[in-house]
Amino acid sequence: MACALDDPSLEHNFKGHKDVVTSVDFNPNNKQLATTSFDKHLMIWNLKPQTRAYRFTGHRDVVMCVQFSPSGHLVASASRDKTVRLWTPNIKGASTAFTAHSATVRSVNFSSDGNFLVTAADDKSVKVWNAHQQRFLLSFKEHNNWVRCARFSPDGRLIVSCSDDRTIKIWDTVSRECINTFTSHGGFANFVDFNPSGTCVASAGTDNTVQLWDIRISKLLQHYKVHSASVNCLSFHPSGNYLITASSDCTLKIMDLLEGRLFYTLHGHQGPVIAVAFSRQGEYFASGGSDAQVLVWKTHFDSIPYTEALKRNIMRTNPDPPPHITDIHPRIPHRHTTRSQTIQINPRTDVADMQTSNPLVMDVGAGFVSNHQTVSILEQRLTLTEDKLQECLDNKKTALQERPP
């Protein structure tokens, strides 16, 4: 359990997926959470208590990634069925799909203005699309192995991608060229993203490390080895002060980037943690894993000034003086494994809103019709039957009138 009011706490434990949860993302309006899974479904969870969830059916294979558009009016999903699908996150479940690649699509990401999509796939390419017309615009093909992830910079000019070829590349969408390549991970990177200011990129590696690069000077600023297994995903807090990571060691870790130190270790999943994301305002974060659970956490520590949060954490953990960001040697792991604040959570008992653990789930999308659609169809059939009956009665009446006396 959390031991202080400013520690993260578990708010919701959503159960509805039947297999590994692969991706999570909050609606910018903070009212919904989208998740995807090996069970081939996209799910939309409403964060308001005692509200139903929606299970969207349409993809024919594992759904790898999901993201809300900046307006929150669309949801994009990427799948092993080689398609990207755009959904409206409501009971109608309307969607359009387009074949984006010739192999598994692992990543999809909206530009900050919502006009463009970038996708990454096992066909070794990164592609940019017009989001509204689902029209192909350009591609980058310098990776020589599967591309795990691709993300726009906050201004939309740059794209960062990571691949099984053990490189991280920065692409310029104007010149359509690769302008930088990083190759520092001992393995390959599973996930990569820009910080909120767009000056740095962070990568989550199969070598159990997290790296933070300054793309302006091509310098490795921080190198964390705080996990004991592959790091699968990461997310920046919108303040840029914190970074959260998800790992196959079954934990979430929160790093304090200004001090260059491990801030929190969170235990809640009963297996590898595959996905994690902060909400757009940073007051929540969500995680998903191989246990098929979706956990929604309240951040808490970002509700007080950074200096005060740091002071309280230091008083509780009493770590050795942390090194300055420029003192961390680029290729030597920076360890803070013994003095961080560790929070053990039991999703069965330590969740604030127990009523939302198993919300009513409604199936929508291809192959399903909602209740109001079912009623509408029955009404149409009843009307047709009544019309046919009336036609028969009219014909019989006419025949009787025309019969000779």
Side-chain angles (χ1 to χ4, degrees), residues 216-231:
R216 298 166 297 182
I217 56 177
S218 301
K219 182 179 180 181
L220 182 59
L221 297 179
Q222 295 179 347
H223 182 175
Y224 296 94
K225 190 172 178 62
V226 294
H227 286 288
S228 59
S230 176
V231 188

Side-chain angles (χ1 to χ4, degrees), residues 386-399:
E386 291 175 341
D387 290 344
K388 189 68 176 178
L389 179 59
Q390 185 62 49
E391 182 181 351
C392 290
L393 291 174
D394 291 342
N395 289 339
K396 186 175 182 179
K397 182 178 180 180
T398 301

Side-chain angles (χ1 to χ4, degrees), residues 6-8 224 226 241-244 252-266 278 299-302 304-317 319 336-337 339-343:
D6 52 325
D7 288 337
Y224 296 94
V226 294
N241 295 341
Y242 309 102
L243 180 73
I244 189 167
L252 296 164
K253 305 272 188 179
I254 299 176
M255 263 69 74
D256 174 356
L257 299 180
L258 297 187
E259 291 291 320
R261 61 194 278 276
L262 178 60
F263 205 35
Y264 287 104
T265 297
L266 304 175
F278 275 111
T299 306
H300 288 305
F301 59 80
D302 72 333
I304 60 177
Y306 169 78
T307 54
E308 179 63 22
L310 178 62
K311 179 181 177 181
R312 294 182 188 181
N313 188 270
I314 289 177
M315 289 177 65
R316 288 201 304 273
T317 59
H336 282 289
T337 57
R339 301 288 187 87
S340 67
Q341 180 73 5
T342 298
I343 299 176

Side-chain angles (χ1 to χ4, degrees), residues 19-184:
D19 209 331
V20 177
V21 178
T22 56
S23 182
V24 298
D25 191 53
F26 285 91
N27 191 319
N29 67 15
N30 241 22
K31 296 180 180 179
Q32 294 177 315
L33 177 73
T35 61
T36 55
S37 171
F38 271 39
D39 64 13
K40 305 179 185 179
H41 293 128
L42 159 71
M43 293 195 70
I44 302 291
W45 310 88
N46 289 297
L47 300 182
K48 184 179 179 180
Q50 298 180 324
T51 308
R52 71 182 63 188
Y54 300 105
R55 182 188 292 118
F56 293 82
T57 300
H59 284 295
R60 300 184 304 277
D61 209 330
V62 172
V63 193
M64 305 296 294
C65 185
V66 67
Q67 193 187 36
F68 276 97
S69 65
S71 67
H73 296 152
L74 286 176
V75 176
S77 58
S79 172
R80 193 181 283 174
D81 66 12
K82 307 176 186 179
T83 70
V84 168
R85 192 172 282 268
L86 296 176
W87 311 77
T88 53
N90 56 37
I91 193 173
K92 295 180 180 179
S95 68
T96 59
F98 60 95
T99 301
H101 292 265
S102 59
T104 297
V105 188
R106 292 188 177 271
S107 173
V108 62
N109 177 240
F110 279 98
S111 60
S112 58
D113 60 9
N115 291 330
F116 304 100
L117 286 169
V118 61
T119 56
D122 286 1
D123 61 10
K124 309 175 187 178
S125 71
V126 175
K127 295 184 178 181
V128 180
W129 308 81
N130 180 299
H132 303 295
Q133 302 173 358
Q134 295 94 60
R135 180 168 55 88
F136 170 76
L137 298 176
L138 63 122
S139 65
F140 302 105
K141 297 183 177 180
E142 291 187 27
H143 283 298
N144 54 37
N145 208 329
W146 295 352
V147 188
R148 295 271 172 176
C149 180
R151 310 279 288 188
F152 278 109
S153 61
D155 64 5
R157 179 186 174 93
L158 302 178
I159 292 171
V160 62
S161 62
C162 61
S163 166
D164 283 17
D165 64 11
R166 299 192 176 191
T167 67
I168 296 167
K169 293 184 180 291
I170 307 292
W171 312 89
D172 189 315
T173 59
V174 177
S175 66
R176 303 190 177 192
E177 296 178 346
C178 177
I179 60 174
N180 215 332
T181 300
F182 304 117
T183 57
S184 185

Side-chain angles (χ1 to χ4, degrees), residues 320-374:
D320 297 327
H324 189 270
I325 190 171
T326 57
D327 294 333
I328 302 172
H329 193 277
R331 296 188 183 274
I332 297 178
H334 174 45
R335 294 181 179 272
H336 282 289
T337 57
T338 59
R339 301 288 187 87
S340 67
Q341 180 73 5
T342 298
I343 299 176
Q344 200 86 25
I345 294 289
N346 183 345
R348 295 181 179 179
T349 60
D350 297 342
V351 58
D353 182 13
M354 292 297 293
Q355 292 179 324
T356 62
S357 294
N358 294 286
L360 177 65
V361 176
M362 177 175 287
D363 289 296
V364 296
F368 291 96
V369 290
S370 61
N371 289 341
H372 77 276
Q373 290 174 310
T374 302

